[in-house]
Amino acid sequence: METLPERDLAKPWLVLGGRELTSRLLVGIEQYTEPAVVRQVLEVTGSQIFITTVDPDNRRSSLLLSDLDDELTLDRYLWVGTTSFARSADSAWRTVEILHDSYGIEVFKLDVRDGTNLPDNRATIDTTGRLREAGYEVLPFILPDLDTARALESLGCSALRVMAAPVASGRGVPDPAPIRRIIDEVGIPVVVEGGLGSARHVTLAMELGAAAVLVNTALVQAKEPLTMAAAMRYAVSAGRLSYLAGAMPGDEIPT
Protein backbone atom coordinates (compact mmCIF):
# COMPACT_ATOMS: atom_id res chain seq x y z
CA MET A 1 0.00 0.00 0.00
CA GLU A 2 1.29 3.44 -0.91
CA THR A 3 2.00 5.85 1.91
CA LEU A 4 0.78 9.44 1.72
CA PRO A 5 4.24 10.81 0.81
CA GLU A 6 4.56 8.27 -2.00
CA ARG A 7 1.16 9.30 -3.32
CA ASP A 8 2.27 12.92 -3.42
CA LEU A 9 5.34 12.03 -5.48
CA ALA A 10 3.09 10.32 -8.01
CA LYS A 11 0.68 13.26 -8.35
CA PRO A 12 0.81 15.40 -11.50
CA TRP A 13 2.35 18.81 -10.83
CA LEU A 14 1.69 20.29 -14.27
CA VAL A 15 -0.52 19.64 -17.27
CA LEU A 16 1.44 20.60 -20.37
CA GLY A 17 0.55 19.99 -23.97
CA GLY A 18 -2.42 17.97 -22.78
CA ARG A 19 -0.21 15.59 -20.76
CA GLU A 20 0.06 15.22 -17.00
CA LEU A 21 3.63 15.51 -15.75
CA THR A 22 4.54 13.59 -12.61
CA SER A 23 8.33 13.62 -12.98
CA ARG A 24 9.72 16.70 -11.25
CA LEU A 25 13.11 16.37 -12.92
CA LEU A 26 13.50 18.06 -16.32
CA VAL A 27 16.62 17.42 -18.38
CA GLY A 28 18.22 19.57 -21.05
CA ILE A 29 19.95 17.66 -23.84
CA GLU A 30 21.45 20.45 -25.98
CA GLN A 31 25.02 19.62 -24.94
CA TYR A 32 25.05 15.90 -25.77
CA THR A 33 26.80 14.50 -28.84
CA GLU A 34 25.79 10.82 -28.60
CA PRO A 35 22.15 9.77 -29.17
CA ALA A 36 22.63 6.66 -27.01
CA VAL A 37 23.61 8.79 -24.03
CA VAL A 38 20.51 10.97 -24.50
CA ARG A 39 18.32 7.85 -24.41
CA GLN A 40 20.01 6.56 -21.28
CA VAL A 41 19.81 9.90 -19.48
CA LEU A 42 16.12 10.29 -20.26
CA GLU A 43 15.43 6.76 -19.05
CA VAL A 44 17.42 7.05 -15.83
CA THR A 45 15.94 10.43 -14.89
CA GLY A 46 12.40 9.34 -15.67
CA SER A 47 11.90 12.40 -17.84
CA GLN A 48 8.54 12.71 -19.58
CA ILE A 49 9.54 15.46 -21.96
CA PHE A 50 11.91 15.68 -24.90
CA ILE A 51 13.45 19.14 -25.24
CA THR A 52 14.69 20.06 -28.69
CA THR A 53 16.03 23.20 -30.34
CA VAL A 54 17.76 24.74 -33.32
CA ASP A 55 20.25 27.59 -33.47
CA PRO A 56 18.74 30.16 -35.83
CA ASP A 57 22.03 32.04 -35.99
CA ASN A 58 24.03 28.89 -36.80
CA ARG A 59 26.46 29.43 -33.98
CA ARG A 60 26.46 25.81 -32.83
CA SER A 61 25.21 22.40 -33.87
CA SER A 62 23.10 19.85 -32.06
CA LEU A 63 22.09 16.23 -32.52
CA LEU A 64 20.00 15.41 -35.56
CA LEU A 65 16.46 14.32 -34.76
CA SER A 66 16.82 11.52 -37.30
CA ASP A 67 19.72 10.10 -35.28
CA LEU A 68 17.78 10.41 -32.04
CA ASP A 69 14.72 8.77 -33.59
CA ASP A 70 16.84 5.74 -34.42
CA GLU A 71 17.90 5.47 -30.78
CA LEU A 72 14.73 6.16 -28.78
CA THR A 73 10.98 6.26 -29.24
CA LEU A 74 10.39 10.00 -29.44
CA ASP A 75 6.60 9.66 -29.56
CA ARG A 76 6.53 8.54 -25.93
CA TYR A 77 7.68 11.99 -24.82
CA LEU A 78 6.02 15.38 -24.84
CA TRP A 79 8.03 17.50 -27.26
CA VAL A 80 9.04 20.87 -25.86
CA GLY A 81 10.93 23.41 -27.92
CA THR A 82 13.60 25.56 -26.32
CA THR A 83 15.16 28.84 -27.37
CA SER A 84 18.24 28.28 -25.21
CA PHE A 85 20.63 29.34 -27.99
CA ALA A 86 18.87 32.69 -28.44
CA ARG A 87 20.61 35.90 -27.40
CA SER A 88 17.85 38.27 -28.45
CA ALA A 89 14.06 38.39 -28.64
CA ASP A 90 14.19 38.19 -32.44
CA SER A 91 16.41 35.09 -32.30
CA ALA A 92 14.04 33.45 -29.83
CA TRP A 93 11.05 34.19 -32.06
CA ARG A 94 12.81 32.75 -35.10
CA THR A 95 13.60 29.60 -33.13
CA VAL A 96 9.94 29.20 -32.22
CA GLU A 97 8.85 29.64 -35.84
CA ILE A 98 11.35 27.05 -37.09
CA LEU A 99 10.41 24.46 -34.45
CA HIS A 100 6.69 25.00 -34.94
CA ASP A 101 6.85 24.89 -38.73
CA SER A 102 9.18 21.88 -38.79
CA TYR A 103 7.74 19.72 -36.01
CA GLY A 104 4.43 21.24 -34.97
CA ILE A 105 5.70 22.04 -31.48
CA GLU A 106 3.25 24.11 -29.41
CA VAL A 107 5.02 24.16 -26.02
CA PHE A 108 8.11 26.30 -25.52
CA LYS A 109 10.78 26.58 -22.88
CA LEU A 110 11.49 30.24 -23.51
CA ASP A 111 14.98 31.60 -22.94
CA VAL A 112 15.78 35.17 -23.95
CA ARG A 113 19.28 35.82 -22.63
CA ASP A 114 21.54 38.82 -22.94
CA GLY A 115 25.19 38.94 -23.98
CA THR A 116 26.27 37.76 -20.53
CA ASN A 117 24.06 34.65 -20.81
CA LEU A 118 21.66 35.88 -18.14
CA PRO A 119 17.88 36.05 -18.62
CA ASP A 120 16.62 39.37 -19.97
CA ASN A 121 13.45 39.75 -17.91
CA ARG A 122 11.96 42.66 -19.87
CA ALA A 123 12.51 40.99 -23.25
CA THR A 124 11.17 37.74 -21.81
CA ILE A 125 7.90 39.41 -20.82
CA ASP A 126 7.53 40.99 -24.26
CA THR A 127 8.30 37.75 -26.13
CA THR A 128 6.02 35.75 -23.86
CA GLY A 129 3.17 38.11 -24.70
CA ARG A 130 3.70 37.51 -28.42
CA LEU A 131 3.87 33.74 -27.93
CA ARG A 132 0.74 33.64 -25.81
CA GLU A 133 -1.16 35.73 -28.36
CA ALA A 134 -0.12 33.16 -30.97
CA GLY A 135 -1.53 30.36 -28.80
CA TYR A 136 1.66 28.74 -27.52
CA GLU A 137 2.20 27.31 -24.05
CA VAL A 138 5.21 29.01 -22.49
CA LEU A 139 7.67 28.24 -19.68
CA PRO A 140 9.86 31.35 -19.46
CA PHE A 141 13.28 31.57 -17.80
CA ILE A 142 13.82 34.62 -15.56
CA LEU A 143 16.03 36.18 -12.96
CA PRO A 144 14.27 35.86 -9.59
CA ASP A 145 12.21 39.05 -9.59
CA LEU A 146 8.70 38.95 -8.14
CA ASP A 147 7.23 41.68 -10.35
CA THR A 148 8.46 39.84 -13.44
CA ALA A 149 7.01 36.58 -12.13
CA ARG A 150 3.64 38.18 -11.53
CA ALA A 151 3.62 39.75 -15.00
CA LEU A 152 4.32 36.39 -16.62
CA GLU A 153 1.67 34.69 -14.51
CA SER A 154 -0.85 37.26 -15.68
CA LEU A 155 0.04 36.42 -19.30
CA GLY A 156 -1.06 32.84 -18.70
CA CYS A 157 2.28 31.01 -18.57
CA SER A 158 2.07 27.32 -17.77
CA ALA A 159 4.96 27.53 -15.30
CA LEU A 160 7.94 29.75 -14.45
CA ARG A 161 11.61 28.78 -14.60
CA VAL A 162 13.62 30.80 -12.10
CA MET A 163 17.40 31.07 -12.15
CA ALA A 164 19.21 29.94 -9.00
CA ALA A 165 22.69 30.84 -10.29
CA PRO A 166 24.23 31.51 -13.72
CA VAL A 167 23.80 28.62 -16.15
CA ALA A 168 26.62 26.05 -15.95
CA SER A 169 28.21 27.81 -12.95
CA GLY A 170 27.65 24.98 -10.48
CA ARG A 171 27.09 27.55 -7.72
CA GLY A 172 23.88 26.03 -6.38
CA VAL A 173 21.33 28.32 -4.72
CA PRO A 174 23.37 31.16 -3.18
CA ASP A 175 20.38 33.47 -2.61
CA PRO A 176 17.21 31.47 -1.89
CA ALA A 177 15.08 34.30 -0.48
CA PRO A 178 13.79 35.81 -3.78
CA ILE A 179 13.14 32.36 -5.20
CA ARG A 180 11.17 31.35 -2.13
CA ARG A 181 9.18 34.60 -2.35
CA ILE A 182 8.16 33.83 -5.93
CA ILE A 183 7.21 30.26 -5.02
CA ASP A 184 5.06 31.54 -2.15
CA GLU A 185 3.35 34.36 -4.04
CA VAL A 186 2.59 33.13 -7.56
CA GLY A 187 -0.10 30.63 -8.36
CA ILE A 188 1.67 28.63 -11.07
CA PRO A 189 4.41 26.00 -10.69
CA VAL A 190 7.97 27.26 -10.29
CA VAL A 191 10.88 25.31 -11.75
CA VAL A 192 14.33 26.12 -10.37
CA GLU A 193 17.32 25.82 -12.70
CA GLY A 194 20.71 27.28 -13.45
CA GLY A 195 23.84 26.43 -11.48
CA LEU A 196 22.46 23.22 -9.95
CA GLY A 197 25.72 21.31 -10.06
CA SER A 198 25.11 18.51 -7.57
CA ALA A 199 22.41 16.39 -6.00
CA ARG A 200 22.74 18.52 -2.87
CA HIS A 201 21.83 21.64 -4.86
CA VAL A 202 18.78 19.89 -6.29
CA THR A 203 17.59 18.75 -2.87
CA LEU A 204 17.96 22.25 -1.49
CA ALA A 205 16.06 23.77 -4.40
CA MET A 206 13.19 21.34 -3.87
CA GLU A 207 13.17 22.08 -0.13
CA LEU A 208 12.31 25.67 -1.02
CA GLY A 209 9.04 24.40 -2.46
CA ALA A 210 9.98 24.30 -6.13
CA ALA A 211 7.57 22.24 -8.19
CA ALA A 212 10.48 20.81 -10.20
CA VAL A 213 14.09 21.41 -11.21
CA LEU A 214 15.85 21.42 -14.56
CA VAL A 215 19.43 20.15 -14.87
CA ASN A 216 21.79 19.90 -17.82
CA THR A 217 25.48 20.71 -17.43
CA ALA A 218 25.82 18.81 -14.15
CA LEU A 219 25.02 15.56 -15.95
CA VAL A 220 27.10 16.28 -19.05
CA GLN A 221 30.22 17.15 -17.08
CA ALA A 222 30.02 14.38 -14.49
CA LYS A 223 32.57 11.58 -14.78
CA GLU A 224 29.64 9.16 -14.70
CA PRO A 225 26.64 10.99 -16.24
CA LEU A 226 24.17 8.16 -15.69
CA THR A 227 25.14 7.80 -12.05
CA MET A 228 24.68 11.55 -11.62
CA ALA A 229 21.32 11.31 -13.39
CA ALA A 230 20.19 8.73 -10.83
CA ALA A 231 21.49 10.90 -7.99
CA MET A 232 19.50 13.87 -9.29
CA ARG A 233 16.34 11.78 -9.51
CA TYR A 234 16.66 10.64 -5.90
CA ALA A 235 17.55 14.18 -4.82
CA VAL A 236 14.31 15.52 -6.29
CA SER A 237 12.27 13.00 -4.30
CA ALA A 238 14.24 13.64 -1.10
CA GLY A 239 13.90 17.40 -1.43
CA ARG A 240 10.20 17.21 -2.16
CA LEU A 241 9.55 14.98 0.84
CA SER A 242 11.69 17.21 3.05
CA TYR A 243 9.62 20.22 1.95
CA LEU A 244 6.38 18.38 2.70
CA ALA A 245 7.77 17.42 6.09
CA GLY A 246 8.29 21.09 6.91
CA ALA A 247 12.04 21.49 6.51
CA MET A 248 13.43 24.58 8.23
CA PRO A 249 13.95 27.03 5.33
CA GLY A 250 16.80 29.11 6.73
CA ASP A 251 17.91 32.40 5.18
CA GLU A 252 20.97 31.13 3.36
CA ILE A 253 21.71 27.92 1.55
CA PRO A 254 25.35 26.82 1.26
CA THR A 255 26.69 26.07 -2.20
Side-chain angles (χ1 to χ4, degrees):
M1 179 181 296
E2 285 186 329
T3 65
L4 289 176
E6 288 171 339
R7 290 175 188 170
D8 178 86
L9 292 177
K11 287 181 180 178
W13 63 274
L14 179 64
V15 177
L16 196 62
R19 298 196 191 187
E20 293 184 340
L21 300 185
T22 55
S23 174
R24 295 175 182 268
L25 178 57
L26 311 180
V27 183
I29 63 169
E30 300 98 312
Q31 300 183 52
Y32 292 98
T33 59
E34 296 293 334
V37 177
V38 172
R39 174 182 57 77
Q40 293 167 336
V41 165
L42 292 177
E43 290 175 350
V44 171
T45 57
S47 179
Q48 295 170 280
I49 67 173
F50 171 76
I51 301 173
T52 187
T53 193
V54 293
D55 183 354
D57 300 314
N58 297 313
R59 287 193 301 268
R60 65 179 84 179
S61 61
S62 61
L63 288 170
L64 295 175
L65 283 173
S66 57
D67 292 338
L68 287 167
D69 198 36
D70 290 338
E71 186 65 38
L72 66 158
T73 306
L74 291 176
D75 288 345
R76 64 179 284 196
Y77 299 96
L78 169 65
W79 282 37
V80 174
T82 180
T83 65
S84 57
F85 290 159
R87 293 298 176 270
S88 69
D90 287 342
S91 180
W93 185 259
R94 291 200 308 275
T95 302
V96 168
E97 289 182 321
I98 293 169
L99 291 172
H100 175 70
D101 293 345
S102 299
Y103 310 114
I105 293 175
E106 300 280 348
V107 182
F108 285 93
K109 171 182 164 286
L110 177 65
D111 292 47
V112 183
R113 303 185 200 169
D114 61 21
T116 64
N117 205 28
L118 295 177
D120 182 333
N121 282 9
R122 181 69 257 172
T124 298
I125 292 172
D126 293 342
T127 306
T128 297
R130 291 181 66 190
L131 291 174
R132 291 294 299 141
E133 287 179 1
Y136 295 114
E137 294 188 67
V138 185
L139 297 84
F141 185 41
I142 62 169
L143 296 172
D145 174 74
L146 183 57
D147 289 340
T148 300
R150 285 173 170 161
L152 291 166
E153 180 183 20
S154 70
L155 288 172
C157 290
S158 301
L160 295 176
R161 298 161 40 239
V162 179
M163 191 186 82
V167 171
S169 69
R171 290 173 51 195
V173 192
D175 187 11
I179 298 174
R180 187 185 300 117
R181 190 175 304 116
I182 291 172
I183 292 170
D184 290 343
E185 297 196 28
V186 302
I188 57 178
V190 173
V191 179
V192 174
E193 68 176 272
L196 303 180
S198 71
R200 177 170 59 123
H201 296 158
V202 165
T203 300
L204 293 169
M206 293 300 295
E207 284 182 334
L208 291 176
V213 297
L214 189 150
V215 297
N216 191 342
T217 304
L219 304 188
V220 176
Q221 294 187 352
K223 292 181 180 179
E224 298 290 342
L226 298 183
T227 302
M228 180 62 79
M232 295 299 198
R233 184 172 183 174
Y234 288 123
V236 167
S237 297
R240 176 65 181 172
L241 292 176
S242 181
Y243 169 73
L244 293 174
M248 296 177 62
D251 293 327
E252 293 186 1
I253 291 181
T255 56

